[in-house]
Amino acid sequence: SVPGTKVELTVSCRNLLDMDTFSKSDPVVVLFVQVSGSSEWKEFGRTEVIDNTLNPDFVRKFVLDYYFEEKQNLRFDVALLGAQDFLGQAFVALGEVIGSQRGRLERPLTGVPGKRCGTILLLAEELSNCRDIVTMQLCANKLDKKDFFGKSDPFLVFYRSNEDGTFTICHKTEVVKNTLNPVWQPFTIPVRALCNGDYDRTVKIDVYDWDRDGSHDFIGEFATSYRELSRAQSQFTVYEVLNPRKKCKKKKYVNSGTVTLLSFSVESEFTFVDYIRGGTQLNFTVAIDFTASNGLPSQPTSLHYASPYQLSAYALALKAVGEIIQDYDSDKLFPAYGFGAKVPPDGKISHQFPLNNNVENPSCAGIEGVLESYLQSLRTVQLYGPTNFAPVINQVAGTAAQVTDGSQYHVLLIITDGVISDMLQTKEAIVTASSLPMSIIIVGVGPAEFEAMEELDGDEVRLSSRGRYAERDIVQFVPFRDYVDDSGNQVLSMARLAKDVLAEIPEQLLSYMKTRDIKPRRADPE
């Protein structure tokens, strides 16, 4: 995800255990972060202690780096200071908090046998590094004449004020030659550059007369702020240009001209978190390759073989990706299909049979439900062929096409041994799907050469079909074998797989929203 997405967590507790005999408890919350790919927990920080309350709202916040594509496990321990009494704990993934409605999550505290420990409330907010960009246009009237021959050649210099009272230059307009009534071109500037995100901070603007030798003459100055400038969205704002030296000398001095703000508009650069907090749901669909090239599931050489000790490559890939995505899917119901098998009762070849055998409702409950149905299907269908991707892509595209207002976004995970039979139809399906709110993840398992998958990925060359080009890149392919490390450390390799597979999803979602000019819905205040 975007590097440097920082999320601020605010912590409160309700109905804590009362351990103090004489007064109420004095609680503190300690946050531990799980080290990626291990079972080790590291203390990240702690809140202040609040005296004498069972319902603390802590002021000290935790600021964490957030990565959509990683499972970031957090543990909150609630304790009493001094006595070190343990009041309970809660385990939660950062993605679960962000994926909750309006970024608010309430969890029961557990860990004190036989006692109800109350709850912990978490609120996640993305720290605005203020991504707004301003476009404005100014003109001036009756500026002082500075040039001996002809009029002035005016330009403006913008300064933002710093914490310590000094000024830093942040923009210069172009020079408009030989006029006392210049109209400057519109220009854009990040709000950060103009006021460092502080809307009331002074913005100073100097008006100069340009001279070829670089000794520009000072005409005058005026001060404003981002907030004042932004009011010009509804009316012109006129500023008097003052020259302090003239003001002191001349009693009758009024001003050295005026500057008018003609237009002012703000555009926001939205982030993935903005959309998720605004209520966009990620819908996750799984499609699994049941073609004969995988090998008989009962044989240890088969890619579908599940030993009592080890999940198959298919199950591992499904779990790795699914466990992260499910945090962003509110109903946790995942439609799951198989393709390339002969299906009972009549042995017809199907390229989109529901793993749970329920045509009316192919959704499975949670990733565990998908795994269960997958193992069940392996026992009942006959692996066959060919390997056709297009039917299941078109199926998800059909669902995605029903809601295109940005409230739903679909992610299709295809797990395959990679020998694709319907390349032309698949390219056509992907090009069509590229204008819909969906992304496709392909995980290739087994030893095949995956050139065809690389072509579908479209990172190097934009995918096309019969002269039509994909509107955006929506496919991400990774070969499973790159992630199985020799040490047999599955946890780490699966975390890496999920990370690489999911890394492009936030950008792909943003590119859809941007091309459709869909803004995130504001999370309503409570």
Side-chain angles (χ1 to χ4, degrees):
S1 67
V2 195
T5 302
K6 289 205 180 293
V7 167
E8 181 181 75
L9 286 183
T10 306
V11 183
S12 304
C13 300
R14 293 294 174 262
N15 307 316
L16 290 176
L17 270 177
D18 197 355
M19 300 294 246
D20 274 16
T21 0
F22 301 113
S23 64
K24 295 209 165 47
S25 301
D26 303 339
V28 60
V29 173
V30 187
L31 167 59
F32 294 85
V33 174
Q34 192 168 32
V35 181
S36 186
S38 82
S39 50
E40 184 195 339
W41 293 91
K42 268 207 173 111
E43 181 174 328
F44 181 85
R46 41 185 67 200
T47 62
E48 75 279 19
V49 178
I50 298 186
D51 290 348
N52 209 7
T53 174
L54 302 180
N55 299 296
D57 294 313
F58 296 100
V59 178
R60 189 176 302 156
K61 301 175 189 315
F62 299 116
V63 176
L64 297 141
D65 288 313
Y66 161 67
Y67 303 96
F68 164 74
E69 65 276 12
E70 287 178 28
K71 190 89 173 165
Q72 295 174 270
N73 289 324
L74 310 177
R75 180 182 107 208
F76 294 88
D77 286 9
V78 187
L80 288 187
L81 206 71
Q84 293 304 319
D85 273 324
F86 177 67
L87 298 181
Q89 63 185 178
F91 294 86
V92 56
L94 183 54
E96 287 180 89
V97 190
I98 290 172
S100 302
Q101 225 174 349
R102 294 208 289 276
R104 285 168 196 278
L105 184 68
E106 185 165 5
R107 273 286 160 87
L109 290 163
T110 59
V112 182
K115 293 270 203 307
R116 298 179 76 158
C117 304
T119 61
I120 187 165
L121 292 140
L122 303 169
L123 169 67
E125 287 189 272
E126 185 174 13
L127 282 185
S128 151
N129 46 5
C130 197
R131 302 170 306 271
D132 293 354
I133 294 170
V134 166
T135 304
M136 59 176 131
Q137 183 175 22
L138 299 102
C139 70
N141 289 90
K142 298 188 179 147
L143 293 175
D144 283 357
K145 175 173 168 334
K146 288 286 184 186
D147 289 355
F148 195 63
F149 305 107
K151 306 183 170 95
S152 297
D153 305 319
F155 67 97
L156 301 175
V157 185
F158 285 69
Y159 303 88
R160 73 162 179 265
S161 59
N162 303 317
E163 302 279 349
D164 60 3
T166 58
F167 286 94
T168 304
I169 183 165
C170 58
H171 182 74
K172 254 187 200 147
T173 66
E174 79 282 12
V175 177
V176 183
K177 291 286 181 72
N178 200 22
T179 173
L180 302 178
N181 303 301
V183 179
W184 289 281
Q185 294 290 321
F187 67 91
T188 56
I189 182 170
V191 173
R192 265 205 311 268
L194 195 61
C195 64
N196 209 1
D198 175 353
Y199 291 175
D200 297 303
R201 196 176 283 199
T202 304
V203 176
K204 187 165 86 82
I205 300 159
D206 287 353
V207 188
Y208 281 99
D209 165 40
W210 178 85
D211 280 327
R212 179 164 282 111
D213 64 7
S215 64
H216 311 307
D217 298 316
F218 177 70
I219 295 175
E221 62 184 13
F222 62 97
T224 179
S225 66
Y226 173 86
R227 197 178 298 282
E228 199 173 288
L229 288 165
S230 66
R231 296 207 179 102
Q233 286 167 312
S234 47
Q235 81 254 15
F236 289 153
T237 312
V238 181
Y239 295 99
E240 280 197 288
V241 178
L242 299 175
N243 184 330
R245 290 227 307 284
K246 277 193 170 179
K247 208 172 169 179
C248 295
K249 280 190 194 152
K250 298 183 178 169
K251 286 223 165 61
K252 284 190 182 154
Y253 175 77
V254 181
N255 61 36
S256 297
T258 59
V259 168
T260 303
L261 179 57
L262 293 173
S263 67
F264 181 97
S265 60
V266 189
E267 287 237 312
S268 286
E269 285 285 326
F270 296 116
T271 66
F272 177 72
V273 176
D274 291 333
Y275 287 98
I276 296 297
R277 285 204 49 171
T280 296
Q281 284 296 321
L282 296 190
N283 299 288
F284 185 45
T285 303
V286 182
I288 292 177
D289 185 335
F290 280 80
T291 54
S293 49
N294 284 286
L296 275 174
S298 54
Q299 301 295 319
T301 49
S302 167
L303 296 168
H304 280 300
Y305 177 71
S307 81
Y309 311 107
Q310 170 113 356
L311 290 168
S312 71
Y314 278 89
L316 279 173
L318 169 69
K319 229 167 123 71
V321 178
E323 284 183 346
I324 288 180
I325 286 209
Q326 67 179 355
D327 288 343
Y328 301 88
D329 189 319
S330 60
D331 64 9
K332 310 265 185 284
L333 294 174
F334 309 120
Y337 301 94
F339 56 90
K342 285 185 165 176
V343 184
D346 49 4
K348 276 229 296 280
I349 296 169
S350 169
H351 294 294
Q352 58 202 73
F353 59 91
L355 295 185
N356 65 3
N357 210 7
N358 180 345
V359 182
E360 296 306 305
N361 181 9
S363 293
C364 306
I367 295 305
E368 289 308 317
V370 178
L371 278 168
E372 236 167 84
S373 300
Y374 154 67
L375 294 170
Q376 186 56 42
S377 287
L378 279 177
R379 292 197 278 275
T380 54
V381 306
Q382 182 193 346
L383 270 56
Y384 207 71
T387 308
N388 291 355
F389 283 12
V392 76
I393 293 174
N394 287 329
Q395 167 124 11
V396 174
T399 313
Q402 290 167 13
V403 183
T404 54
D405 64 359
S407 61
Q408 305 291 332
Y409 192 88
H410 295 262
V411 179
L412 167 61
L413 170 64
I414 300 176
I415 312 177
T416 176
D417 69 354
V419 194
I420 183 169
S421 320
D422 66 340
M423 190 65 176
L424 290 175
Q425 291 86 335
T426 295
K427 281 162 78 168
E428 179 74 8
I430 292 172
V431 169
T432 303
S434 70
S435 63
L436 294 168
M438 67 180 280
S439 291
I440 300 169
I441 295 168
I442 304 173
V443 177
V445 292
E449 291 304 320
F450 291 114
E451 292 101 337
M453 302 297 129
E454 297 289 0
E455 183 185 345
L456 296 178
D457 190 319
D459 276 352
E460 306 302 320
V461 181
R462 180 60 63 91
L463 187 70
S464 64
S465 167
R466 301 191 306 195
R468 281 198 310 150
Y469 279 84
E471 185 181 306
R472 30 188 266 285
D473 170 22
I474 61 166
V475 179
Q476 171 71 343
F477 166 74
V478 297
F480 186 81
R481 57 169 173 253
D482 292 1
Y483 297 89
V484 183
D485 65 2
D486 310 329
S487 70
N489 179 352
Q490 267 177 13
V491 177
L492 197 57
S493 43
M494 288 309 97
R496 274 189 23 244
L497 169 81
K499 188 174 151 97
D500 288 355
V501 164
L502 294 170
E504 288 187 21
I505 299 264
E507 279 308 312
Q508 291 176 2
L509 179 140
L510 286 173
S511 75
Y512 173 79
M513 301 297 186
K514 214 168 185 168
T515 51
R516 297 290 174 288
D517 199 27
I518 296 169
K519 309 234 180 313
R521 287 187 291 210
R522 291 270 168 239
D524 313 319
E526 287 296 279

